[in-house]
Amino acid sequence: MATTTTHPPPGTDPSTPFRFPTLYAYPPFFSLQPNTTIRHSQFQHWSSLIRSWCRHHRLFKLSLVDAIDGPLFRNAELKKQLALADARTVLDWMSRGDEDGGGGRRAEWVDGLAKTVVWIWWRRPEEWAALLAEWVENTGQKNVVLTLYELLEGEATISQEWHGMDPGVMMRSLNVLVKQGKAQVFGGEGQEGVKFF
């Protein structure tokens, strides 16, 4: 099951339908192409679509089994659908780094070899960490202890894009700041606190 939240991204209207790219109306888009150059371009377009879809719907994780029959991978009007194996191939490509000829680490399998649930990084943890660090600096939160709940659901973060984000994504992002010496996370599961430096 896909994980979602009730908080829309700041400045968007949640009632606005998702706008699919032009390629979504092109039947060959739903079949992986044999030509290497065309396939690479196709992977790039699928990566962009998946990240845009997840961002629009505030999804941080996708269950591939649940999503494969939904509008992301299936164009009902065309009666065309990306096959489950092909969707896994696209997500595998998204999970590789650019240096590997991949999609810039924009996806990560949650369940390893099973490949049924995937993190979709419409912003990578490093990118979320940079936004958090900027917010800490701009709002004078250095040397202040905040709970994970305050960061995710508090009034002070309502205008921030991470407000309402999946706690797992927030913890991954905070761990980036910990490694950079800009934060310390403490406390147990569900009771985490963070101090920013």
Side-chain angles (χ1 to χ4, degrees):
M1 174 178 276
T3 304
T4 188
T5 179
T6 58
H7 302 284
T12 63
D13 179 357
S15 64
T16 302
F18 180 75
R19 292 183 60 118
F20 285 96
T22 306
L23 274 175
Y24 187 78
Y26 186 57
F29 185 58
F30 293 88
S31 300
L32 294 187
Q33 300 301 302
N35 178 288
T36 307
T37 303
I38 294 171
R39 183 181 283 221
H40 187 266
S41 175
Q42 188 178 24
F43 283 162
Q44 290 174 327
H45 288 292
W46 269 110
S47 175
S48 178
L49 170 58
I50 291 166
R51 288 181 287 123
S52 296
W53 171 269
C54 289
R55 185 176 192 166
H56 179 85
H57 293 286
R58 302 289 292 164
L59 298 173
F60 297 92
K61 260 190 248 183
L62 275 182
S63 165
L64 193 50
V65 174
D66 292 339
I68 198 68
D69 289 321
L72 175 58
F73 294 111
R74 183 175 56 87
N75 184 325
E77 189 175 307
L78 290 178
K79 295 185 172 104
K80 296 294 279 180
Q81 177 174 353
L82 191 66
L84 180 61
D86 291 346
R88 277 196 181 102
T89 300
V90 168
L91 292 164
D92 277 338
W93 180 85
M94 288 175 64
S95 72
R96 294 196 315 259
D98 292 324
E99 65 280 358
D100 303 323
R105 291 186 182 22
R106 289 296 182 174
E108 181 180 338
W109 294 106
V110 174
D111 54 358
L113 296 176
K115 295 187 178 183
T116 60
V117 180
V118 63
W119 291 107
I120 299 297
W121 302 122
W122 37 280
R123 284 193 192 273
R124 291 184 200 99
E126 299 81 13
E127 294 166 334
W128 286 118
L131 288 176
L132 284 161
E134 182 180 343
W135 176 79
V136 165
E137 186 68 38
N138 292 341
T139 60
Q141 300 294 327
K142 283 189 176 181
N143 296 313
V144 173
V145 176
L146 296 169
T147 65
L148 190 61
Y149 179 82
E150 287 174 307
L151 285 171
L152 296 174
E153 305 294 337
E155 286 185 31
T157 65
I158 286 175
S159 64
Q160 302 304 313
E161 191 175 12
W162 70 77
H163 187 83
M165 104 177 352
D166 183 289
V169 176
M170 178 58 80
M171 288 305 297
R172 293 279 296 270
S173 304
L174 290 172
N175 285 332
V176 171
L177 293 176
V178 168
K179 287 178 184 171
Q180 295 173 349
K182 296 180 179 179
Q184 177 185 3
V185 177
F186 51 89
E189 193 171 314
Q191 300 295 319
E192 295 91 351
V194 59
K195 183 174 183 178
F196 296 99
F197 306 115

